[in-house]
Amino acid sequence: MSENKRASWGRLALALLLASLLSTGMQAQNPSQPAPPPPPPQVNANQKGAIRAAVDLVEIDAQVTDRDGKPIKGLRQDQFTVSEDGKDQKISSFEYNDVEKIETAGGGDSAPVTISIAGVVEPDALRQVVRDHRLIVLFFDLTSLQPEDLERSTDAAKRFISKQMTAADLVGVVAYGNQLRVVADFTTDRDLLDRAVDALQPGKESQLAALADAAAQNGEDTVTQDTGAAFTADDTEFNVFNTDSKLIALESLTDLLREIPGKKSVIQFTSGITQTGQENRMQLRATTDAANRANVSIYTVDSRGLLAAIPGGDATTATATGTSLYSGSAVFHQDDTREDSRETLSTLASDTGGRSFFDLGDFGEAFHQVQADTSGYYLLGYYSSNTARDGRWRTIKVRVAGVPGAHLRFREGYYAPKDFGVFTTEDRERQLEEAINSETPLVELPLAVDTAYFRLDKNQIFVAISAKLASSALQWAEKSGRRQVQFDFAAEIRSTQSNRVAGALRDTITVKLDAERYQQVQQNALVYQGGIILPPGNYKMKFLARDNDSGRIGTFEDDLKLPASPANRMELSSVVLSSQVVDAPKNSEVQTKAFATDAKLKESPLDVAGQRIVPSVTRVFTSQQMLYVFFQAYLPDGVDSTRLRAGLAFFRNGARVSQTPMVAPAQVDDKTRTASFRISLPLSGIALGRYTVQAVVVQAGGAQAAFGRSYFALRQAAAAPVPAGGN
């Protein structure tokens, strides 16, 4: 099939699906939960390095060391040269932060210094207070730390505070549980820090509320602010499976630190961060980019310490059964899980200029490394000669003259401001192209994407692409009493082996709603459903959505592994979960502008008996909904489709909690040797929580069998709003 045909199905499916959703009042998979609010303005920076940029002023820190790694002090401004995209810039501000000077001088009986982590309103006045100080945040991920890991981490932090902390160290304490909480602001007060860390130990959480902010001494500047709600975990459908809340919390912390001048270091104590549900690659990049832009380096510490693997797992792991008991697959899985939990930590550290620490018996090494990496640096500022507000990446080079053998470390670039309103048509097209090709994530537009595959024949696989975005995050324009929004969808799929484009989708969608329908849509989400046909192989997909009024973009990446057809063995498609089955009527509220010659795909595999399955992109449901599970079985020659039966088993925390009766196929295509199953059940009888659902297809009285899995979260339905004047 040509790429025109591949792209065309996506456009037609999108128009039909949006029309059906609008015609039914936009009943999303989880209508009881409102869509999350729009994110803050763009927080993008290249993961190569970071800078602070305020309006057109660019500030960048540079460390100059000799062959032994010791800071070289006393350099003059005229010895430095800064260039941006190859053009020399005029240095307008210059200072050296000499942390060693205060360290060697000692603290003596000087009054404690306290700086608020959040709520800084005068960064210029604060600059003189933090100058020549080292800014360190002790960040405790309470959502992952087991009691023994937390105790190990807090003990190490207390030893650092009492023995390793110097007069130059301004240390803060932040914890993330169900909220991001600033326990102690930046301070040199060891007693306050000791109490803050001690309050994090198991059984002492009540002490957190009793901790008071340390007051400024001798007229020093301090800004106090209630930061208890600085970040609350977004447990809505957009984050339960689509992103890792730990990464979002860490991104929020770097945003709090952004307006504090100078270099900041975050020491993160955690028992690992794994990718949850759908790949969180984009959120990981967004977090590292936010840290780089805020001039924050992240040092990750695996608080599990020195791990001695117990074959088969410890008491928290179920006993291995089946073939894993004899093949050792359970042990390999245990090792893989541990390494997966560390991969994200390594990326966070390396991409922000920090370091990661694994298998440590003594965490003191991590503190020593942070102090060594921030013993002194030059802070250079300049106003860019490039006044274009095009949002492009600008590469920075810093050079120093007259110091033979010097080693220079500096931030390597930044993203310029952008003004989407003045973009020409060519600018907008170039922006889309650059966003698709860029390695930097864009998370301005809340976006959740899921894929599923269905075999058409031995050489062709249909990949269903479903995307959901919050309608409340779109910039709806009001024209002639109607609300209107226009946005672009684009997808590009490349072969992993050759990096060549194997397929692409591109559509511009305009939605026009009256006032009543607009209010309905605002409480739910818009869903894109497209598809592309590919041969078996390994691919990388990048999906993009752009609001054409605000210019905000959301991107998503995923790996696609499309297996070759097995010989003489039954196999299953992806297992699709949904709470919505719709017809596909036409609707004048949705208009699609196509970008390729029109060619129709007769029907999608998700179309069964005249109805369409709308996949739950986020796989979050409420107890008041019906769960529809759809999958296909592909039969080898000689297998009688009338003898096929399928059922579902539900697992929670590794244990099977329920199952459905075995049923016959809902539809059979003898020509393609495909049996389609659609099993539905009410969710009211299932306890709240996270589940693995396993679909099993067997040949009654035969040797053929196959299974597939998917995952979902079940949440309590929100209470109905109380009518005005009600009790």
Side-chain angles (χ1 to χ4, degrees):
M1 178 175 287
S2 69
E3 285 191 18
N4 282 350
K5 291 184 179 181
R6 297 171 186 167
S8 173
W9 189 90
R11 291 194 305 276
L12 294 172
L14 174 65
L16 292 174
L17 180 60
L18 285 179
S20 65
L21 292 178
L22 289 170
S23 67
T24 57
M26 287 297 297
Q27 295 297 315
Q29 285 89 343
N30 194 10
S32 63
Q33 297 186 15
Q42 180 175 353
V43 183
N44 287 320
N46 193 288
Q47 59 192 36
K48 301 182 235 178
I51 51 86
R52 289 186 65 250
V55 191
D56 295 321
L57 175 66
V58 179
E59 288 185 342
I60 183 169
D61 65 90
Q63 296 169 286
V64 186
T65 56
D66 59 19
R67 293 184 177 90
D68 298 326
K70 296 181 179 180
I72 299 177
K73 307 177 184 180
L75 299 180
R76 305 182 308 275
Q77 177 176 330
D78 58 11
Q79 291 180 265
F80 286 86
T81 303
V82 179
S83 64
E84 181 180 290
D85 289 339
K87 297 182 179 180
D88 288 344
Q89 306 294 316
K90 180 181 178 181
I91 299 175
S92 58
S93 63
F94 177 86
E95 67 179 42
Y96 180 70
N97 282 260
D98 191 355
V99 179
E100 276 190 337
K101 179 180 68 176
I102 296 182
E103 250 179 354
T104 56
D109 297 326
S110 59
V113 177
T114 302
I115 302 297
S116 178
I117 288 180
V120 176
V121 294
E122 295 183 359
D124 291 336
L126 186 61
R127 187 182 303 275
Q128 296 305 314
V129 180
V130 302
R131 183 173 178 176
D132 298 333
H133 283 82
R134 186 184 288 115
L135 298 170
I136 302 174
V137 175
L138 307 181
F139 178 62
F140 296 87
D141 177 13
L142 303 181
T143 63
S144 70
L145 291 171
Q146 298 298 317
E148 62 273 16
D149 299 339
L150 177 58
E151 185 175 0
R152 189 181 300 114
S153 302
T154 54
D155 286 347
K158 288 165 72 70
R159 285 195 299 271
F160 163 72
I161 293 168
S162 62
K163 297 180 180 180
Q164 294 177 239
M165 182 176 167
T166 72
D169 293 330
L170 281 166
V171 180
V173 180
V174 177
Y176 171 57
N178 62 342
Q179 287 184 331
L180 183 71
R181 185 183 185 109
V182 177
V183 185
D185 286 322
F186 285 124
T187 184
T188 57
D189 189 336
R190 285 183 170 86
D191 291 337
L192 173 65
L193 293 171
D194 188 76
R195 295 198 307 273
V197 173
D198 189 62
L200 296 174
Q201 294 182 357
K204 297 185 178 181
E205 294 86 350
S206 60
Q207 297 180 14
L208 291 174
L211 283 172
D213 291 333
Q217 301 293 326
N218 299 328
E220 294 169 348
D221 290 335
T222 182
V223 179
T224 60
Q225 178 176 318
D226 179 12
T227 56
F231 169 79
T232 301
D234 184 359
D235 210 21
T236 63
E237 56 176 336
F238 274 83
N239 284 327
V240 170
F241 285 106
N242 188 52
T243 58
D244 193 322
S245 60
K246 300 176 180 65
L247 294 176
I248 302 175
L250 193 55
E251 180 184 3
S252 298
L253 173 59
T254 62
D255 287 339
L256 290 177
L257 298 172
R258 183 177 175 187
E259 294 305 319
I260 299 177
K263 182 179 178 65
K264 285 81 64 177
S265 302
V266 172
I267 304 178
Q268 180 186 22
F269 295 96
T270 178
S271 294
I273 300 178
T274 56
Q275 295 183 338
T276 56
Q278 299 179 31
E279 291 287 343
N280 64 0
R281 182 185 315 165
M282 301 304 286
Q283 182 57 50
L284 175 59
R285 290 182 180 177
T287 301
T288 58
D289 289 344
N292 283 331
R293 187 162 183 170
N295 207 356
V296 172
S297 294
I298 300 173
Y299 293 77
T300 55
V301 178
D302 189 337
S303 296
R304 292 168 291 188
L306 188 60
L307 291 178
I310 302 173
D314 56 21
T316 64
T317 305
T319 304
T321 59
T323 59
S324 65
L325 179 64
Y326 306 100
S327 66
S329 61
V331 178
F332 288 124
H333 176 70
Q334 175 186 349
D335 292 338
D336 290 343
T337 300
R338 184 174 66 227
E339 292 305 315
D340 288 345
S341 70
R342 290 176 167 180
E343 182 179 355
T344 302
L345 300 181
S346 297
T347 303
L348 276 173
S350 62
D351 288 355
T352 60
R355 302 174 191 266
S356 53
F357 300 90
F358 304 138
D359 295 322
L360 288 182
D362 181 5
F363 295 161
E365 179 183 339
F367 298 105
H368 281 301
Q369 191 62 63
V370 171
Q371 290 176 320
D373 289 349
T374 53
S375 56
Y377 59 91
Y378 294 88
L379 192 62
L380 312 174
Y382 70 93
Y383 289 91
S384 175
S385 61
N386 186 352
T387 59
R389 304 179 67 86
D390 53 13
R392 289 189 172 187
W393 170 259
R394 298 178 182 176
T395 301
I396 292 176
K397 295 292 184 183
V398 179
R399 298 176 178 85
V400 62
V403 190
H407 179 65
L408 190 62
R409 293 180 60 192
F410 57 89
R411 309 295 180 171
E412 297 183 4
Y414 71 103
Y415 275 92
K418 71 173 183 178
D419 188 352
F420 187 75
V422 299
F423 276 23
T424 64
T425 301
E426 291 76 12
D427 291 334
R428 297 189 178 204
E429 291 301 310
R430 185 169 58 249
Q431 182 198 36
L432 286 180
E433 182 179 356
E434 291 175 350
I436 282 288
N437 295 327
S438 174
E439 295 183 357
T440 303
L442 298 173
V443 292
E444 305 161 306
L445 197 61
L447 179 69
V449 181
D450 196 16
T451 59
Y453 73 87
F454 303 91
R455 192 175 299 281
L456 301 180
D457 55 42
K458 291 184 178 181
N459 299 316
Q460 290 187 319
I461 296 177
F462 177 80
V463 179
I465 304 173
S466 302
K468 174 178 282 190
L469 53 89
S471 58
S472 60
L474 300 174
Q475 186 167 312
W476 294 79
E478 187 170 3
K479 298 180 179 179
S480 302
R482 294 169 63 87
R483 296 283 185 155
Q484 175 177 316
V485 66
Q486 184 184 82
F487 44 90
D488 283 308
F489 286 114
E492 184 176 85
I493 299 177
R494 291 181 177 267
S495 168
T496 302
Q497 183 175 4
S498 65
N499 200 37
R500 293 181 178 177
V501 176
L505 296 172
R506 171 66 194 284
D507 301 285
T508 295
I509 307 298
T510 302
V511 180
K512 298 180 180 180
L513 306 174
D514 59 29
E516 181 179 356
R517 187 62 59 84
Y518 171 72
Q519 292 300 324
Q520 296 174 349
V521 171
Q522 281 295 95
Q523 302 303 316
N524 296 284
L526 297 178
V527 180
Y528 169 95
Q529 188 177 2
I532 198 165
I533 297 175
L534 298 167
N538 295 329
Y539 303 91
K540 289 186 177 295
M541 180 194 74
K542 187 162 187 178
F543 187 88
L544 175 152
R546 180 182 68 183
D547 181 347
N548 281 342
D549 288 310
S550 66
R552 292 193 297 162
I553 293 178
T555 56
F556 181 90
E557 291 185 19
D558 199 6
D559 295 326
L560 298 177
K561 296 182 179 180
L562 307 181
S565 179
N568 301 319
R569 182 166 59 87
M570 181 168 61
E571 66 167 332
L572 297 190
S573 68
S574 299
V575 178
V576 175
L577 307 182
S578 172
S579 65
Q580 188 178 18
V581 179
V582 299
D583 296 322
K586 295 183 179 180
N587 193 298
S588 61
E589 292 175 331
V590 180
Q591 299 175 4
T592 303
K593 182 179 180 181
F595 284 84
T597 304
D598 194 14
K600 294 183 179 180
L601 181 66
K602 291 184 178 180
E603 64 179 12
S604 162
L606 294 173
D607 295 337
V608 179
Q611 292 182 314
R612 172 162 298 170
I613 303 291
V614 181
S616 174
V617 178
T618 51
R619 299 197 292 276
V620 179
F621 302 89
T622 68
S623 54
Q624 294 181 348
Q625 293 178 315
M626 289 287 293
L627 175 66
Y628 300 97
V629 183
F630 174 78
F631 51 93
Q632 291 182 331
Y634 309 109
L635 314 179
D637 294 336
V639 175
D640 184 1
S641 61
T642 62
R643 299 171 61 188
L644 291 181
R645 296 295 183 270
L648 305 175
F650 294 86
F651 296 84
R652 185 180 182 189
N653 298 326
R656 185 168 65 181
V657 294
S658 65
Q659 63 186 36
T660 66
M662 304 295 282
V663 299
Q667 182 173 297
V668 175
D669 188 330
D670 292 326
K671 182 178 180 181
T672 61
R673 306 289 297 160
T674 300
S676 298
F677 293 88
R678 195 173 85 184
I679 302 176
S680 60
L681 70 156
L683 291 171
S684 56
I686 300 179
L688 304 181
R690 294 172 181 258
Y691 289 88
T692 298
V693 55
Q694 179 170 287
V696 180
V697 180
V698 297
Q699 177 191 13
Q704 293 288 338
F707 72 91
R709 289 181 175 178
S710 189
Y711 310 89
F712 71 93
L714 186 63
R715 292 285 187 261
Q716 181 66 48
V722 178
N727 295 326

